[in-house]
Amino acid sequence: GNNLQQLNLAQNLLQGDVPECLCDLENLETFNAAGNALGGTIPNCVVEAANLATLDLANNQMTGTIPPFAVTSLKNINISNNQLTGKLDGLFVAASNFEPVFVELHLDNNQFIGTVPDLSEVLSLTHFTVTENQLTGELTFCRGFSALEQLEVDCLEVDCACCTNCDDNYVV
């Protein structure tokens, strides 16, 4: 097997798709390819990698929908500033054998539609950003989150009864 645990390809002017061979790196814990010109979709096997804790594909040209996250090790996801589409509701729902331990979810500046996902079961969440999408609905999970440090939603589209600062159309 391969012992590579961290792969940092950020800011390297990379183009093309995220290669499927990345999925062969069974011990990979961190994959950072932010700030390139990567396109295509996020391969299903990337979000199924058993040891992957951090996935950073921010500031690329990724398209398509996000595959459902199905591993318990994934804690930090930054896929902001891409062209990703689809709905987020149901994407982060815990399966019977899967308890999500997300710490940071940065999904801002994409083309997501539908309602803001209910993350009330994810008590470990400290950062959640979904501004600059086309999300609507009601943000119901922010009460009782002692760990939550950063919350950014589009207040004009999302009903957020527990939000206190809606300057500049989002909450910080």
Side-chain angles (χ1 to χ4, degrees):
N2 192 310
N3 292 325
L4 184 66
Q5 293 178 326
Q6 297 186 8
L7 181 56
N8 187 346
L9 301 173
Q11 308 292 332
N12 276 296
L13 304 174
L14 297 175
Q15 297 179 8
D17 295 350
V18 175
E20 291 276 343
C21 65
L22 181 68
C23 305
D24 296 335
L25 302 174
E26 56 196 38
N27 293 312
L28 191 65
E29 296 173 2
T30 300
F31 178 59
N32 182 354
N36 286 293
L38 294 173
T41 59
I42 300 173
N44 284 7
C45 60
V46 170
V47 296
E48 295 167 356
N51 295 308
L52 191 65
T54 299
L55 175 64
D56 193 343
L57 292 170
N59 303 307
N60 278 289
Q61 298 164 10
M62 306 296 299
T63 58
T65 59
I66 307 173
F69 295 97
V71 293
T72 56
S73 61
L74 203 50
K75 292 179 175 59
N76 303 305
I77 302 170
N78 189 347
I79 51 176
S80 59
N81 301 309
N82 279 287
Q83 295 150 27
L84 295 164
T85 58
K87 295 185 176 186
L88 296 177
D89 41 326
L91 197 62
F92 304 102
V93 174
S96 58
N97 61 344
F98 167 57
E99 182 177 327
V101 290
F102 298 117
V103 176
E104 295 192 21
L105 286 176
H106 298 282
L107 312 174
D108 43 302
N109 199 13
N110 279 286
Q111 298 167 17
F112 296 122
I113 60 171
T115 58
V116 176
D118 179 9
L119 300 173
S120 55
E121 301 296 317
V122 189
L123 300 178
S124 55
L125 195 64
T126 62
H127 297 75
F128 181 66
T129 61
V130 289
T131 57
E132 302 297 323
N133 283 290
Q134 298 165 25
L135 298 173
T136 58
E138 183 179 0
L139 188 69
T140 58
F141 66 86
C142 53
R143 293 199 189 278
F145 272 75
S146 58
L148 199 58
E149 297 171 16
Q150 181 184 22
L151 171 65
E152 294 183 13
V153 299
D154 292 315
C155 291
L156 296 179
E157 289 83 20
V158 176
D159 182 17
C160 183
C162 53
C163 298
T164 57
N165 180 4
C166 281
D167 293 342
D168 298 324
N169 193 30
Y170 63 88
V171 176
V172 180

